């Protein structure tokens, strides 16, 4: 049984919403970031980059304390304020490619602990601990974990009805996106949504494994140190964006490798031939058509790689995953890439970027070879999570990417 809870979000005033909302920090170029910080005093970036006020780079726990100070300043200036009542929040994003819609709500740490909320990616303990300390100091979270659920007609109907009303926010961005947000405050509608989620045995983390793991660590620490723990304290929940499977967009990550691990081009192709049927496509861009097919760019030419059936043995759902096959058959044994997270010889480009970028970066000499594949499907992600397996790093690039600062969850 899955759970979904309303909460009292801290939000920008209507007039400030488009100015406050920001993309993820790492998504900005240095020039964009400086422009936002110089010319938009309302940007949420001022909260998460508090040292800019003093033109000084600040890190560690000192930064955490200053993030909290900037956050409190935004509240004191009435740029941000807390809703009087608990609500569910509908967040809709229209882009040039598609429209997605979901519910921002509080998810249960207990569901995460009991594997009702299932995960498919590994996390790094050091990052979990760092973000837990960050949450503990600042006392809020502004980046929802993406949780996906099977399409549900009843939930869709409730959302559609709520969106007939005037949104709390509606603003455009320089990326030609329209962001809209509505509140669901009617107790009966909230109860009906909760009843539908109670019928779902499982939810899946689409994006935000470290955020959810850190929230769990914070909840466990807070619970253990609180003799009056009831289970209703804010630390027992974490902000999430509940989105139906049909609203998700999943893209692939391409792999770029800096060298051929000491092999000549000819030696490398001969080694690949053991596991793959190879066809030289010349300057014709090749895109895989089905699973177990890969595209490769090497020395000014595109290649198609088809996995030989004699080298394909299914042992579990992970063994069928293209990202895992590429690692097991090429990256590790031939190119010597053993640690996909730490090896400096590998870089990733998500599939929303054109293959021309791969060609450009290989042609420049920065990289020796690039590989691409089809995107992972949601059913593959769910099956791997159900089997308690872990996908290789950078197996999926998932959208939507939400704006920070529109809803904030306080602990």
């Amino acid at each position: 049984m899955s759970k979904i809870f309303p909460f009292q979000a801290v939000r920008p005033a209507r007039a400030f919403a488009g100015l406050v909302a920001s993309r993820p920090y790492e998504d900005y170029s240095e020039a964009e970031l400086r422009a936002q910080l110089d010319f938009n005093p309302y940007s949420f970036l001022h909260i998460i980059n508090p040292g800019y006020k003093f033109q000084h780079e600040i890190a560690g726990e000192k930064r955490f304390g200053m993030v909290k100070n900037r956050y409190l300043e935004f509240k004191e200036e009435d740029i941000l304020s807390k809703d009087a009542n608990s609500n569910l929040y509908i967040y809709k994003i229209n882009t040039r490619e598609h429209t997605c819609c979901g519910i921002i709500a509080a998810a249960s740490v207990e569901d995460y602990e009991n594997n009702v909320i299932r995960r498919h990616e590994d996390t790094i303990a050091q990052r979990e601990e760092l973000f837990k300390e960050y949450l503990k100091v600042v006392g809020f979270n502004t980046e929802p974990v993406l949780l996906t659920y099977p399409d549900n007609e009843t939930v869709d109907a409730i959302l559609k009805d709520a969106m007939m009303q005037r949104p709390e926010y509606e603003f455009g961005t320089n990326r030609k996106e329209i962001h809209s947000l509505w509140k669901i405050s009617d107790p009966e509608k909230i109860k009906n949504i909760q009843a539908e989620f109670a019928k779902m045995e499982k939810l899946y983390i689409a994006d935000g494994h470290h955020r959810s793991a850190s929230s769990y660590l914070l909840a466990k620490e807070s619970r253990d140190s609180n003799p009056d723990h009831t289970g209703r304290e804010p630390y027992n929940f974490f902000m999430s964006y509940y989105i139906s499977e049909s609203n998700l967009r999943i893209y692939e990550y391409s792999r770029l490798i800096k060298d051929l691990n000491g092999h000549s081009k000819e030696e490398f192709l001969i080694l690949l031939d053991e596991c793959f049927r190879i066809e030289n496509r010349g300057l014709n861009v090749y895109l895989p058509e089905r699973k177990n097919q890969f595209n490769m760019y090497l020395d000014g030419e595109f290649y198609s790689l088809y996995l030989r059936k004699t080298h394909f043995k299914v042992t579990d759902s992970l063994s069928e995953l293209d990202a895992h096959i590429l690692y097991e058959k090429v990256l590790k044994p031939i190119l010597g890439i053993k640690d996909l997270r730490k090896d400096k010889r590998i870089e990733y480009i998500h599939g929303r970027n054109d293959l021309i970028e791969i060609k450009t970066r290989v042609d420049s000499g920065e990289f020796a070879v690039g590989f691409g594949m089809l995107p992972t499907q949601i059913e593959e992600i769910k099956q791997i999570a159900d089997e308690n397996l872990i996908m290789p790093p950078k197996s999926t690039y998932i959208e939507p990417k939400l704006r920070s600062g529109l809803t904030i969850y306080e602990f």
Side-chain angles (χ1 to χ4, degrees):
M1 182 176 80
S2 304
K3 296 185 280 292
I4 182 171
F5 297 94
F7 70 102
Q8 294 171 267
V10 174
R11 304 187 289 117
R14 187 191 296 271
F16 297 130
L19 294 169
V20 169
S22 69
R23 306 198 308 269
Y25 185 81
E26 62 277 3
D27 196 34
Y28 290 89
S29 68
E30 187 175 339
E32 283 182 303
L33 186 62
R34 185 172 293 275
Q36 281 289 314
L37 292 168
D38 281 344
F39 301 112
N40 180 5
Y42 301 108
S43 174
F44 197 79
L45 292 169
H46 284 286
I47 294 178
I48 58 180
N49 190 20
Y52 194 80
K53 181 177 182 178
F54 307 105
Q55 297 297 305
H56 187 70
E57 190 73 28
I58 300 170
E61 291 188 13
K62 184 181 292 186
R63 175 179 169 269
F64 299 168
M66 291 189 67
V67 167
K68 185 174 183 178
N69 290 342
R70 294 290 88 75
Y71 174 67
L72 293 176
E73 288 171 9
F74 269 52
K75 293 181 73 175
E76 290 162 3
E77 295 169 3
D78 294 324
I79 300 169
L80 299 173
S81 59
K82 192 170 188 176
D83 282 340
N85 301 306
S86 293
N87 307 286
L88 300 176
Y89 302 88
I90 304 172
Y91 185 9
K92 181 181 179 182
I93 306 174
N94 289 342
T95 72
R96 285 172 289 187
E97 290 86 15
H98 68 276
T99 297
C100 70
C101 179
I103 306 169
I104 296 178
S108 166
V109 167
E110 183 182 42
D111 279 358
Y112 179 86
E113 189 173 18
N114 294 333
N115 205 32
V116 174
I117 294 174
R118 301 198 170 184
R119 38 212 182 269
H120 63 268
E121 287 185 6
D122 207 356
T123 52
I124 301 170
Q126 187 177 359
R127 284 185 62 190
E128 290 180 19
E129 189 66 28
L130 181 65
F131 193 59
K132 182 208 73 174
E133 290 301 314
Y134 172 82
L135 293 175
K136 187 164 69 172
V137 172
V138 302
F140 69 86
N141 186 13
T142 188
E143 295 186 25
V145 173
L146 262 65
L147 298 179
T148 189
Y149 63 90
D151 288 31
N152 184 289
E153 292 183 0
T154 301
V155 173
D156 288 347
I158 296 172
L159 300 189
K160 185 177 180 181
D161 179 66
M163 288 188 291
M164 296 298 290
Q165 307 302 314
R166 181 192 182 195
E168 295 287 310
Y169 309 136
E170 188 168 40
F171 60 89
T173 73
N174 59 5
R175 293 193 169 187
K176 297 185 178 180
E177 300 170 345
I178 303 295
H179 295 256
S180 309
L181 185 132
W182 294 260
K183 287 194 306 186
I184 300 180
S185 53
D186 184 329
E188 192 63 28
K189 290 182 179 179
I190 293 174
K191 183 178 177 182
N192 290 340
I193 289 175
Q194 288 177 319
E196 290 303 311
F197 276 93
K199 299 174 186 176
M200 303 176 193
E201 294 182 1
K202 298 168 286 189
L203 300 173
Y204 296 87
I205 298 175
D207 190 25
H209 285 77
H210 281 92
R211 277 168 273 156
S212 51
S214 300
S215 296
Y216 165 69
L217 289 179
L218 177 63
K220 187 174 183 299
E221 180 179 294
S222 302
R223 179 179 64 200
D224 293 344
S225 62
N226 182 6
D228 300 318
H229 172 81
T230 65
R232 296 188 297 274
E233 297 86 356
Y235 60 70
N236 292 290
F237 309 93
F238 56 94
M239 186 168 65
S240 296
Y241 186 58
Y242 291 75
I243 183 169
S244 65
E245 292 174 7
S246 63
N247 271 265
L248 278 181
R249 292 295 180 271
I250 305 175
Y251 301 92
E252 74 282 7
Y253 270 101
S254 298
R255 274 81 167 129
L256 284 165
I257 314 298
K258 287 188 177 292
D259 58 66
L260 298 183
N261 197 28
H263 303 298
S264 68
K265 172 185 172 181
E266 292 73 21
E267 291 169 340
F268 178 59
L269 290 172
I270 290 170
L271 289 169
L272 284 178
D273 187 72
E274 182 179 344
C275 296
F276 297 91
R277 182 162 57 88
I278 305 170
E279 185 174 340
N280 187 325
R281 304 278 179 159
L283 295 179
N284 297 316
V285 175
Y286 167 74
L287 295 174
E289 298 174 350
R290 58 179 66 91
K291 281 176 60 62
N292 305 153
Q293 295 181 358
F294 304 85
N295 62 289
M296 181 176 74
Y297 186 71
L298 172 69
D299 193 26
E301 296 177 309
F302 290 96
Y303 294 80
S304 58
L305 306 179
Y306 301 150
L307 183 67
R308 297 186 188 278
K309 298 303 180 183
T310 53
H311 282 263
F312 183 60
K313 182 179 180 182
V314 177
T315 55
D316 51 34
S317 58
L318 182 61
S319 66
E320 299 182 81
L321 192 71
D322 282 345
H324 182 73
I325 291 170
L326 186 66
Y327 173 68
E328 289 291 338
K329 302 296 183 183
V330 181
L331 301 184
K332 183 170 66 171
I334 300 177
L335 294 175
I337 306 286
K338 294 182 173 61
D339 191 330
L340 293 173
R341 291 186 185 277
K342 297 180 180 179
D343 199 308
K344 303 297 185 184
R345 297 168 54 229
I346 187 169
E347 193 168 309
Y348 304 90
I349 301 176
H350 64 73
R352 292 210 60 186
N353 293 329
D354 200 289
L355 280 174
I356 297 302
E357 183 174 351
I358 296 175
K359 181 180 186 304
T360 300
R361 297 182 74 178
V362 171
D363 287 346
S364 73
E366 182 184 4
F367 292 92
V369 63
F371 299 94
M373 66 201 84
L374 288 176
T376 303
Q377 300 301 304
I378 185 61
E379 290 304 322
E380 293 180 281
I381 294 173
K382 290 165 61 177
Q383 187 62 38
I384 285 171
D386 288 344
E387 294 178 22
N388 295 313
L389 299 171
I390 299 299
M391 295 170 63
K394 302 294 185 183
S395 292
T396 57
Y397 179 85
I398 294 181
E399 291 189 343
K401 302 295 184 187
L402 308 186
R403 294 261 161 166
S404 295
L406 288 181
T407 59
I408 300 168
Y409 182 83
E410 290 188 333
F411 298 103

